[in-house]
Each structure stands twice: as C-alpha cells, then as structure tokens.
Amino acid sequence: MDTAVRPCGQDMDPSSYTRAQVAVENTVYHFDKPFDYRIPESLRGKLLPGCRVIVPFGAGNAPRQGMVLGCLAGECPDGLKEISVLLDETPLLSRELVSMVPWLRDRYFCTLFDAVKLLLPAGISLRLREGFRLAKPLADLPVEGLHTLARRKKGAEREELCRAAGLDPQDSTLDRLCAAGAVVRERDAVRQIGDATLRMVRLCPDSLPEKPTAKQREVIRFLQETGAASVKELCYYAGVTASVVNGLAARGAVEFYEYEVYRSPYSEAAEPASREDISLSAEQQAAFDRLYRQYEQGKGGVSLLYGVTGSGKTSVFLRLIDEVYPSGRGIIVMVPEISLTPQTVSVFQKRYGNRVAVFHSGLSLAERLGEWKRVRRREASIVVGTRSAVFAPFDDVGLIVMDEEQEYTYKSESSPRYHAREAAKFRCAWHKALLVLCSATPSVESFYFAQSGRYSFQKLPQRYGTAELPPVEIVDMNDELEAGNNTVLSARL
C-alpha cells in the first residue's frame, strides 16, 4: 500500500479522489504514518486535505479522529476501510500547514496527529462521544439504573449510565443490550468550545401583518430602519418584550438567525485616527533600506537585526511593517514572554487598530479560538504573540519578526518540542517571505549564520539619538581569588 503523503493537485477535480491519507490520533510513534482509507461516494468532492474525519482504526475498528493529509485517485486496494464521518465542511489547514505536519513529525519526533494539534487552537478540538438511546420507547431493560434512558430523548453517555446503574464503565451490559437491539449506540464528535453567537432578528417583508398592534409597529419600524438587530437590542430600543417579537415570528413577519461573534479581550480596539511617522537615524535608515530591499526581491530569506540595547531595532521593524502592511500579506510578530505581549499589542493597536490579533497561552480557549478565526477569515492581518503565533493561519505570509530571538522560551518544553525560529524558517521558505531576527545578544548559531553570509546582517552599533552606552569595566575574578577574595563581588564592584 502506498502511504506517502500526496496533497491534492490543484488542477484535479476533488470528486475524482477515491482514497485519503489520514493522520490518526492516539497512535504510537514507531508505527505512526498516514493511513489509507476509502472515500465513500457520499463524501467525494467534499473531502479535502486539512479536514478532520472519524475513521475505524485497529482490529476492533474503534472510532478515531483523524486529519486528512492527502488524497489519491485511482483504484482502491481490496479490503480498504472506509471513512465514517467528515467533521469539517471546509479545510481547517491550508496546503502549507498540511505539508508542515510531516515536517514537524520528522524533525521533532512526534506523531502526525500531535503535529496537527499544534497547528490548531485548543478550543476547536473535538472529543468523540459515545451515547446510548432506547431502540423502542418501552424497551424492557434488565438493569434498574438504565431506565434513565426512557426519560432522555437524546440518550446519555456511557459513564453517566454506568454511574446510574452502579456498573463498572468496562462492564459489557450496554454492549449486550446493543447486540440484542434494545439499545442503540451513537457516536459523534463534540466541540470543546462552542461558537459564541447572538440571536438576531430580521423582517420578512412579504409576510407583514395587515393590522399590526402598536408594539408590533414599533418592532417593524425599527427593523425597517436598521435591517437587523439582536433580540436584546430590538426589545430595548423598540420598548417591547420578547413575547412581541416571538408573536411576529410565529406569524412569519420576522425570522431569527444566529450571528457569530468573537470572544477577544482586544475586540474593542479603536481604529487609529492617524499613523505617526517613524523618524529613523541614518544608521537605522540604512538597515531598513537593506531589509526592505531584501523583502522586495520576493525570494524570502532570513536577516539578523543586531543592535545594542537602545539602538532602535523596534523602530526599524515597525517601519518595515508599515511598508509590508498595505500589500495585504500576513505579518507575524513574536515576543518571548506573555508579560511583554500587552505592551507590544498596545503599540500595534495604536497603529493598526482591530486589524491586530493576539496569540498566547494567557487567553482563554474561547478567546484563542476567536482570534484564530479572525486571522483565518482575513479580518486581521497582523498577529502579535508568543511562540504559538508562528502557526497563525495566514494564507500568504509576508513578514515574520522574532524579537529577542535568543530567548529559550521560543523552544517548547513539551512535545512536540519545536523551536519557533525553525518553524518560522519553514513558513518563510514556503511563502518566500522575510524572517527578521532581532537581538542585542543573538544566539550563537544565528550570529554565526549572519557572519558566514547565510543570513543577511544588519548592525546598529550606536544607541539612538544622544543616548550613550554606559562605561563597562571587566574584572578578572581569578585575580580576585588569588588576592584572597572568595565572594561573588569583586573589590572594584
């Protein structure tokens, strides 16, 4: 069986694909690989790389969640298992991020599905739910506690039923009842965090009542002026209760619909009145000109912006972002610590308003999901955050900036133990984007690559303006030891 991952060709009709290559969750690294599954007729043309699925796995065909990494055309081998459920209507991962999954596995020795989870916000993850319901309304159940099913239209989960019946979760009673046809087993996927929505109301002009009441007229007038409003807003401004709106809905004069809203601590950012020009010194201007020239060449690459403390490295990359921003290409700015994020976000929001999204672990799951969706739907074009920001779901990345690139926090301490700098290099190579590494004390490897010509090298040896570097004196502590000083402080200090 061919198990090499082959992303769908852009010029091929998705309905021609007959099998998919799937990264399956909860596999062990030594036998982890993309597993081939037959695409059922009902899913052909809908199933694409980047979509999640449920597949039967192992000798017992246990349902497992998986991510489609590639699709193949042609005849399917005999006995190939079939995909059970398609979980996403549209792909969650772009072609670039799908191709990043095997790269992460090979480089950081994680499973394919662990790499998938790294690329998605935690709030969008699914858990497989095993539920049970009665096959017939009056099914005769031998265990008293299981009669709780008779009161549940949607059934109940295994753990809940076993608790009610005093059974061990591994007990086979439920399985025997399923085999006998008295109980039906249902498996589905449940989102960890649901979408935040507002219940909205809009008019149905063809079904307005001929003789509306005074309160109904207020509702109709308000909706004619605004087009649509949330139920809460409508009741407040029209001076009516929800029962009036429900009455109009029952007559078909208005209809309800759900409108998704984002849960973000930065959603109220005001639009900047004007963007202040950044004044650069001659040294900063020279560094900016070289960086922008490298970006405009469209070949991508890496540049080390090396400058002493207070030399104005931030002003240089802000000026660079100002030039890249109008192109519409995605911009990622990474900082090493969560504590630095608010002040960095403040700087960017003053310049770019709500076009800035924030990625870091200090946000709630719902807030992280909201920011991820804003980027994916192109409602934000700049992402500011810690190392996880490197996986922001931009379709086209133009610039990535890593401030204080030498910091150890850019390397994950839990599996997958990726380094954000290496992930940034991968993304910049794919999109032919520019990666700018900023530091006053760069890592040894970055400094070596800059000196050897592998990276371009921009230097800012002087502090900005009239500020001067403090005098520094080096004291040899070996001499202090010989002089009888055993403390950590030199005599000079």
Side-chain angles (χ1 to χ4, degrees):
M1 184 183 298
D2 182 5
T3 56
V5 177
R6 299 177 187 171
C8 290
Q10 290 178 311
D11 55 342
M12 295 184 69
D13 180 4
S15 62
S16 66
Y17 296 111
T18 57
R19 55 184 166 132
Q21 299 185 307
V22 180
V24 181
E25 69 173 338
N26 296 331
T27 56
V28 180
Y29 179 80
H30 71 269
F31 70 79
D32 179 58
K33 63 180 181 180
F35 294 92
D36 281 23
Y37 284 89
R38 184 191 305 273
I39 302 174
E41 291 287 345
S42 61
L43 296 181
R44 290 186 184 175
K46 301 177 185 177
L47 189 144
L48 296 169
C51 291
R52 291 172 300 178
V53 292
I54 294 178
V55 295
F57 189 77
N61 288 330
R64 295 272 185 94
Q65 188 183 166
M67 172 65 74
V68 178
L69 299 181
C71 294
L72 304 170
E75 291 296 320
C76 289
D78 293 336
L80 199 61
K81 295 179 183 179
E82 191 171 84
I83 289 172
S84 304
V85 181
L86 174 62
L87 297 174
D88 302 303
E89 294 180 2
T90 57
L92 295 182
L93 299 180
S94 64
R95 289 181 65 245
E96 176 225 351
L97 292 179
V98 166
S99 70
M100 200 176 199
V101 171
W103 178 82
L104 286 166
R105 178 194 185 275
D106 294 341
R107 188 176 183 91
Y108 298 111
F109 303 102
C110 61
T111 66
L112 290 167
F113 201 81
D114 282 341
V116 168
K117 289 192 289 186
L118 189 63
L119 303 179
L120 295 174
I124 207 170
S125 61
L126 299 166
R127 69 178 180 88
L128 296 184
R129 173 185 176 274
E130 184 182 40
F132 298 86
R133 62 176 175 81
L134 289 182
K136 299 176 182 178
L138 298 175
D140 185 19
L141 297 175
V143 182
E144 179 64 29
L146 297 183
H147 285 289
T148 186
L149 283 178
R151 300 189 298 272
R152 298 289 189 89
K153 293 181 180 179
K154 295 183 178 180
E157 295 189 44
R158 177 186 285 271
E159 291 77 8
E160 180 186 358
L161 287 173
C162 289
R163 273 199 309 272
L167 299 174
D168 186 277
Q170 305 303 320
D171 192 283
S172 61
T173 301
L174 282 170
D175 300 311
R176 292 200 305 271
L177 290 171
C178 290
V183 173
V184 175
R185 187 197 314 268
E186 296 175 328
R187 292 187 174 104
D188 57 1
V190 182
R191 272 268 298 276
Q192 188 169 354
I193 299 291
D195 295 326
T197 57
L198 279 177
R199 198 177 192 211
M200 304 290 287
V201 188
R202 59 190 166 205
L203 278 179
C204 299
D206 297 333
S207 303
L208 296 180
E210 293 181 4
K211 296 181 179 180
T213 65
K215 290 185 176 181
Q216 288 176 339
R217 279 198 301 272
E218 282 301 310
V219 171
I220 293 169
R221 180 194 60 78
F222 184 79
L223 290 177
Q224 285 173 335
E225 291 176 358
T226 60
S230 70
V231 174
K232 186 176 180 180
E233 289 173 329
L234 178 58
C235 291
Y236 178 80
Y237 288 108
V240 300
T241 62
S243 61
V244 178
V245 184
N246 292 335
L248 285 170
R251 299 175 65 173
V254 300
E255 65 177 353
F256 297 112
Y257 66 98
E258 299 295 322
Y259 176 77
E260 185 176 355
V261 294
Y262 300 119
R263 291 168 286 202
S264 169
Y266 306 97
S267 59
E268 302 301 321
E271 285 297 322
S274 61
R275 197 176 301 158
E276 295 182 5
D277 291 332
I278 297 174
S279 177
L280 300 179
S281 66
E283 195 175 73
Q284 290 172 315
Q285 187 66 43
F288 161 75
D289 289 340
R290 290 191 294 270
L291 286 170
Y292 189 57
R293 205 158 41 240
Q294 184 176 356
Y295 168 78
E296 277 196 313
Q297 290 173 355
K299 297 179 182 178
V302 186
S303 182
L304 176 62
L305 180 58
Y306 170 53
V308 297
T309 303
S311 59
K313 297 183 291 297
T314 302
S315 296
V316 173
F317 71 68
L318 277 175
R319 181 78 178 83
L320 183 61
I321 290 170
D322 282 346
E323 295 300 319
V324 176
Y325 179 76
S327 70
R329 301 184 74 187
I331 298 167
I332 299 171
V333 180
M334 287 184 281
V335 293
E337 298 283 352
I338 292 176
S339 59
L340 297 174
T341 309
Q343 66 190 58
T344 308
V345 170
S346 176
V347 169
F348 279 88
Q349 284 186 335
K350 287 177 181 176
R351 299 185 69 77
Y352 306 105
N354 60 10
R355 296 291 294 174
V356 178
V358 182
F359 282 38
H360 64 72
S361 59
L363 302 180
S364 69
L365 294 182
E367 288 169 341
R368 285 187 241 177
L369 179 58
E371 294 294 83
W372 184 86
K373 285 182 176 179
R374 287 182 59 222
V375 175
R376 188 163 174 260
R377 294 170 181 172
R378 301 182 181 181
E379 296 173 22
S381 50
I382 299 176
V383 166
V384 177
T386 49
R387 64 172 178 262
S388 61
V390 75
F391 302 118
F394 286 119
D395 292 327
D396 182 17
V397 177
L399 175 67
I400 299 178
V401 176
M402 281 186 72
D403 201 14
E404 304 296 340
E405 66 89 26
Q406 80 285 351
E407 290 292 336
Y408 72 93
T409 50
Y410 283 123
K411 182 175 176 59
S412 172
E413 295 180 356
S414 59
S415 183
R417 291 178 171 82
Y418 72 96
H419 199 298
R421 184 176 57 233
E422 302 309 308
K425 288 181 186 177
F426 179 97
R427 300 205 70 182
C428 287
W430 178 281
H431 294 284
K432 292 182 169 49
L434 176 62
L435 171 60
V436 179
L437 307 175
C438 304
S439 181
T441 54
S443 61
V444 172
E445 59 267 40
S446 294
F447 198 69
Y448 171 77
F449 288 147
Q451 287 185 317
S452 62
R454 185 167 172 177
Y455 299 167
S456 66
F457 199 6
Q458 322 305 332
K459 300 179 186 177
L460 298 174
Q462 303 297 323
R463 281 195 164 183
Y464 181 76
T466 58
E468 295 182 359
L469 288 170
V472 176
E473 185 177 333
I474 298 174
V475 175
D476 189 338
M477 294 301 290
N478 289 319
D479 294 340
E480 296 288 314
L481 286 173
E482 290 179 4
N485 178 9
N486 295 319
T487 68
V488 297
L489 301 179
S490 68
R492 175 67 174 151
L493 184 58

